[in-house]
Amino acid sequence: MTDHQEPMIKNGTLSNQSLIGKLNRWQWWILVGLNIFFLIVGQAAAVLLGRFYYDQGGNSKWMATLVQTAAFPILLIPFFFIPSSNEPSNSSAPPSFKILASIYFSLGVLIAGDNMLYSVGLLYLSASTYSLICATQLAFNAIFSYFINSQKFTALIFNSVVILSFSAALVGINDDSDGPSRVSKWQKVIGFLCTLGASALYSLLLSLMQLSFQKVLRKETFSVVLEMQIYTALVATCVSVVGLFASGEWKTLHGEMVAFSAGRVSYVMTLVWTAVAWQVCSVGVVGLIFVVSSLFSNVISTASLAITPVASVIVFHDKMNGIKVIALLLAIWGFVSYIYQNYLDDCKARRTRNNDSESQTGPLC
């Protein structure tokens, strides 16, 4: 890496060279590390608080869905106070309001559905089992990226897909005896299928967002990425509110708060901090997209899922039996295969840019 490291440019992701290019090596790493910290801590805290909500007597799936996007106004802070580059778009004319609205609305509805599936999965599964199943999103991402974004499907990527599939299969056949009480085997199957479906839908969303950046928006600057996050979260929040009232679950919220084992104040604070934790995670996701690339952000997001099973053992005393340990090791193996392939791709891209640039005197990798 040079003293003025520029972020990776992959899969149509454009870097903000005017800001990031001014950072020296250690400043760039500090910024990357800070965003990774936000992502990992935010995601782990949100999952654990979501499990705590259910364990203490919470039962509203729509409320659990709502808090995943309700704190999106937090993203307005970096949107207004952190400048973005004025990098010109590749498109001769910006997309119309109608096209943008349809994209944000469609993605927002899919996000709301995805959050609902995650909420059902977390309701019926332990935090550790839930997180291990979520790790399959990397495998789904490879598949959708191949068909939608024309990404290469190499031997290492194929190995990652197979290994992560085996990991999910092991978790699926595990009896999950440490899971939530009063949950039947049929409900655990529903939880497994919903979490697996949510992982697939999340990966599809990432590919569709990438496609929108490449084909419609024709750029991926910091402000554009944040706009995508904010507007889709707004739509998802509205859909969740409609679902909360249409389902009638809003009528049970007062009784749920009164019966919450940890008390009324803890009930409110659990929901508030769950919402904040999800948006802290979002800040990390957007930050990594801005500083490095969208692909790197997704890889770190998946890698952070390995932290949650360990945290759930400490916080909720989940049992890590032999099957879960093997599944965790397989998930790590699959992740390493995937990220190593991306490392090789990045090295190749750097060598190509180095050969095309007369100012470079040697390879960067």
Side-chain angles (χ1 to χ4, degrees):
M1 181 181 298
T2 60
D3 289 338
H4 293 280
Q5 174 66 59
E6 292 181 0
M8 289 183 288
I9 305 177
K10 300 174 69 174
N11 296 334
T13 301
L14 302 177
S15 63
N16 193 325
Q17 298 178 3
S18 62
L19 293 178
I20 303 303
K22 297 178 181 179
L23 301 178
N24 59 35
R25 181 178 181 178
W26 66 268
Q27 287 175 325
W28 187 85
W29 275 112
I30 288 177
L31 191 58
V32 171
L34 185 63
N35 282 294
I36 290 176
F37 175 80
F38 284 156
L39 194 160
I40 292 177
V41 172
Q43 183 165 267
V47 172
L48 294 178
L49 285 171
R51 183 64 263 162
F52 179 79
Y53 166 75
Y54 286 133
D55 286 346
Q56 297 299 310
N59 197 46
S60 174
K61 294 183 288 293
W62 278 109
M63 176 57 71
T65 301
L66 175 62
V67 296
Q68 294 183 49
T69 54
F72 72 89
I74 291 177
L75 296 177
L76 294 174
I77 298 176
F79 181 76
F80 286 115
F81 290 99
I82 298 180
S84 182
S85 68
N86 295 319
E87 196 167 5
S89 171
N90 294 329
S91 178
S92 57
S96 66
F97 173 80
K98 184 177 180 180
I99 293 177
L100 285 177
S102 62
I103 290 175
Y104 292 150
F105 178 79
S106 300
L107 292 177
V109 171
L110 287 177
I111 289 173
D114 185 51
N115 291 343
M116 183 59 173
L117 290 175
Y118 276 129
S119 298
V120 175
L122 193 56
L123 173 62
Y124 295 138
L125 300 174
S126 65
S128 57
T129 300
Y130 166 88
S131 299
L132 288 172
I133 298 173
C134 286
T136 58
Q137 71 186 40
L138 200 57
F140 286 118
N141 182 71
I143 295 173
F144 287 126
S145 295
Y146 175 78
F147 288 104
I148 297 177
N149 307 116
S150 302
Q151 184 173 317
K152 293 187 300 181
F153 207 77
T154 65
L156 284 172
I157 296 295
F158 180 76
N159 175 73
S160 176
V161 171
V162 173
I163 295 300
L164 288 170
S165 300
F166 278 135
S167 175
L170 282 175
V171 175
I173 64 175
N174 183 40
D175 60 3
D176 198 27
S177 57
D178 61 310
S181 58
R182 301 185 300 277
V183 174
S184 65
K185 287 187 175 181
W186 176 243
Q187 288 175 322
K188 290 178 181 178
V189 171
I190 293 177
F192 174 82
L193 294 177
C194 285
T195 306
L196 193 65
S199 299
L201 184 55
Y202 177 77
S203 299
L204 176 62
L205 277 165
L206 290 178
S207 293
L208 291 176
M209 286 182 177
Q210 187 66 46
L211 186 66
S212 299
F213 286 129
Q214 292 174 341
K215 303 298 184 181
V216 181
L217 302 175
R218 300 296 181 91
K219 59 181 178 178
E220 194 170 333
T221 60
F222 184 58
S223 60
V224 172
V225 171
L226 268 181
E227 285 176 4
M228 173 75 79
Q229 291 277 339
I230 291 171
Y231 291 134
T232 55
L234 172 62
V235 173
T237 300
C238 293
V239 172
S240 300
V241 170
V242 171
L244 180 65
F245 282 90
S247 65
E249 286 188 2
W250 67 274
K251 299 177 182 178
T252 67
L253 294 181
H254 181 267
E256 185 177 279
M257 180 174 64
V258 172
F260 200 68
S261 299
R264 298 187 182 190
V265 175
S266 294
Y267 176 82
V268 175
M269 295 305 295
T270 298
L271 294 178
V272 169
W273 285 110
T274 301
V276 171
W278 278 120
Q279 293 312 307
V280 169
C281 176
S282 294
V283 169
V285 169
V286 173
L288 287 178
I289 291 174
F290 178 55
V291 178
V292 189
S293 72
S294 56
L295 181 59
F296 182 82
S297 178
N298 182 40
V299 170
I300 296 299
S301 177
T302 305
S304 69
L305 293 170
I307 304 297
T308 307
V310 178
S312 65
V313 171
I314 298 173
V315 177
F316 297 120
H317 306 291
D318 286 359
K319 296 179 181 179
M320 287 294 287
N321 56 31
I323 291 181
K324 281 189 178 181
V325 171
I326 294 174
L328 178 60
L329 293 175
L330 288 174
I332 294 174
W333 182 6
F335 162 74
V336 170
S337 296
Y338 195 95
I339 199 170
Y340 182 65
Q341 178 62 61
N342 289 298
Y343 166 76
L344 294 178
D345 291 342
D346 185 55
C347 285
K348 182 179 179 180
R350 289 175 187 273
R351 285 193 296 267
T352 301
R353 292 196 298 271
N354 178 62
N355 293 334
D356 294 339
S357 176
E358 295 180 356
S359 62
Q360 298 289 340
T361 59
L364 296 177
C365 293

